[in-house]
């Protein structure tokens, strides 16, 4: 059945060349993508930081031994004017 | 060249599809594993701080001003030679009734110490010597400056010095335990000031702004 119209149909050898070319292109494309991925300056695995971090807050309250405050006493002496 | 069969052609096409899909899936898989490695994380935290002890006192009445006046030099006061006044918790008393206030002004009231910390406090007082306050008065009439704790304030729950008047130049205890707060919210203590002014004191302003109240934690 496949040889009923050989002048119109594309030769199978051409098809095979095209198919092989498709395979080669596909392989090269995949290799290129993988190669590019490996050059990304981020480690692909284990790149996450540790999600749990610890910090420290310190406060020292120094209770004063003594506190003081001051007051005022005043008066004005004004003798009787004669 | 002999043509290959359709079966061979189909096999090669299927192989091409498989290789292409496998490559694509592998690439996607590698890319998906990059995850969020480039993203900074934001974390929040909380800190609780508890201040257990805070020692603090303040003077809600920090000035005792007896105003402008002189000693009455007539009648009984003429022989006495001095005037004696006492100011306390919203009180003023011209004890000898020999002080003539020459300018209006409100009568002096005593100091009021408030414990505004959060622990009980023992408070003491220190001030000038009599000679320093009266600027080396050289006359022969009595003069002096003294203090005493108010005997009725609820703010002092310890021993208080309210039995005698004490000179300011002695660092003495006002109250061994002024509460920082209680159910009545009474954490104050009044200090009564007693002054004796001689009649022959030179005219002038007599003032001391260094009446110092010291507080330590009550034991």
């Amino acid at each position: 059945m496949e040889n009923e119209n050989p002048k119109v149909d594309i030769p199978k050898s051409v098809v095979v060349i095209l198919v092989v070319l498709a395979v080669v292109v596909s392989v090269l494309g995949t290799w290129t993508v993988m190669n590019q991925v490996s050059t990304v300056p981020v480690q692909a695995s284990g790149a996450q930081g540790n999600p749990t971090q610890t910090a420290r807050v310190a406060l020292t309250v120094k209770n004063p031994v003594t506190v003081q405050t001051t007051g005022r006493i005043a008066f004005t002496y004004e003798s009787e004017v004669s | 060249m002999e043509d290959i069969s359709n079966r061979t052609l189909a096999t090669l096409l299927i192989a091409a599809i498989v290789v292409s899909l496998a490559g694509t899936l592998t690439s996607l898989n590698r890319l998906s594993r990059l995850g969020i490695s480039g993203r900074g994380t934001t974390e929040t935290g909380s800190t609780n701080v508890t201040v257990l002890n805070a020692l603090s006192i303040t003077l809600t009445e920090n000035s005792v001003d007896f105003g402008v006046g002189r000693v009455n030099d007539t009648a009984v006061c003429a022989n006495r030679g001095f005037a004696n006044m006492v100011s306390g918790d919203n009180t003023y008393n011209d004890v000898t009734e020999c002080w003539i206030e020459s300018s209006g002004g409100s009568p002096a009231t005593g100091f009021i110490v408030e414990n505004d910390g959060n622990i009980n406090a023992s408070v003491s007082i220190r001030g000038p010597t009599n000679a320093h306050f009266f600027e080396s008065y050289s006359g022969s009439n009595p003069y002096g400056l003294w203090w005493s704790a108010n005997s009725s304030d609820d703010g002092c729950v310890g021993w208080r010095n309210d039995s005698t008047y004490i000179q300011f130049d002695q660092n003495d205890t006002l109250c061994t335990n002024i509460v920082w707060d209680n159910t009545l919210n009474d954490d104050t203590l009044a200090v009564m000031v007693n002054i004796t002014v001689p009649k022959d004191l030179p005219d002038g302003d007599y003032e001391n702004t260094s009446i110092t109240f010291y507080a330590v934690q009550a034991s």
Side-chain angles (χ1 to χ4, degrees), chain B residues 9-27:
Chain B
L9 185 60
T11 302
L12 289 172
L13 284 171
I14 292 172
I17 293 170
V18 170
V19 169
S20 181
L21 287 175
T24 302
L25 292 174
T26 302
S27 297

Side-chain angles (χ1 to χ4, degrees), chain B:
Chain B
M1 179 178 178
E2 183 180 354
D3 290 341
I4 62 175
S5 66
N6 289 338
R7 181 183 300 274
T8 302
L9 185 60
T11 302
L12 289 172
L13 284 171
I14 292 172
I17 293 170
V18 170
V19 169
S20 181
L21 287 175
T24 302
L25 292 174
T26 302
S27 297
L28 291 174
N29 186 44
R30 293 288 297 271
L31 288 172
S32 68
R33 281 190 291 174
L34 289 177
I36 57 172
S37 58
R39 175 179 175 270
T41 58
T42 301
E43 301 292 339
T44 60
S46 62
T47 302
N48 294 323
V49 176
T50 301
V51 178
L52 298 177
N53 295 328
L55 176 64
S56 179
I57 59 170
T58 188
L59 291 175
T60 57
E61 291 290 343
N62 63 358
S63 179
V64 180
D65 193 338
F66 290 93
V68 180
R70 68 180 189 276
V71 177
N72 186 357
D73 198 21
T74 61
V76 67
C77 296
N79 294 328
R80 181 171 289 132
F82 64 91
N84 177 245
M85 296 87 76
V86 174
S87 61
D89 187 1
N90 293 319
T91 62
Y92 170 77
N93 183 20
D94 183 356
V95 179
T96 54
E97 297 183 348
C98 290
W99 179 251
I100 298 175
E101 193 167 311
S102 57
S103 66
S106 57
T109 58
F111 296 112
I112 296 180
V113 183
E114 179 181 6
N115 182 351
D116 60 344
N118 63 7
I119 56 175
N120 293 355
S122 176
V123 178
S124 59
I125 301 176
R126 190 172 182 85
T129 63
N130 286 336
H132 184 262
F133 184 79
F134 287 93
E135 300 179 358
S136 300
Y137 165 71
S138 58
S140 57
N141 289 309
Y143 69 100
L145 189 64
W146 302 270
W147 65 267
S148 176
N150 189 312
S151 60
S152 60
D153 282 354
D154 293 332
C156 179
V157 296
W159 176 85
R160 76 185 79 192
N161 206 336
D162 60 4
S163 59
T164 58
Y165 282 106
I166 302 168
Q167 290 186 9
F168 277 91
D169 59 338
Q170 301 170 8
N171 187 6
D172 216 333
T173 301
L174 169 66
C175 173
T176 58
N177 195 344
I178 299 180
V179 294
W180 66 273
D181 199 3
N182 60 21
T183 55
L184 299 175
N185 197 29
D186 190 349
D187 53 3
T188 61
L189 176 62
V191 179
M192 304 173 71
V193 177
N194 185 328
I195 187 170
T196 293
V197 179
K199 70 175 183 180
D200 52 350
L201 189 69
D203 288 2
D205 296 325
Y206 296 85
E207 178 184 37
N208 189 283
T209 58
S210 300
I211 311 297
T212 307
F213 293 73
Y214 299 92
V216 297
Q217 183 172 357
S219 57

Side-chain angles (χ1 to χ4, degrees), chain A residues 28-40, chain B residues 22-23 26-27 30:
Chain A
L28 287 176
T30 303
W31 180 83
T32 300
V33 170
M34 294 179 68
N35 188 49
Q36 288 297 317
V37 168
S38 67
T39 60
V40 174
Chain B
T26 302
S27 297
R30 293 288 297 271

Side-chain angles (χ1 to χ4, degrees), chain A:
Chain A
M1 183 179 180
E2 57 184 354
N3 293 324
E4 288 180 352
N5 191 5
K7 289 183 180 177
V8 176
D9 194 12
I10 298 174
K12 287 184 178 177
S13 59
V14 174
V15 176
V16 170
I17 290 172
L18 291 174
V19 170
V20 170
L21 187 61
V23 173
V24 171
V25 168
S26 178
V27 170
L28 287 176
T30 303
W31 180 83
T32 300
V33 170
M34 294 179 68
N35 188 49
Q36 288 297 317
V37 168
S38 67
T39 60
V40 174
V42 175
Q43 201 171 10
S45 62
Q48 289 179 308
N50 186 350
T52 302
Q53 298 293 326
T54 59
R56 174 177 178 270
V57 175
L59 174 67
T60 301
V61 178
K62 291 186 176 180
N63 197 29
V65 177
T66 303
V67 296
Q68 66 183 59
T69 184
T70 57
R72 167 182 174 269
I73 296 177
F75 75 95
T76 298
Y77 197 80
E78 189 176 81
S79 57
E80 187 174 14
V81 178
S82 57

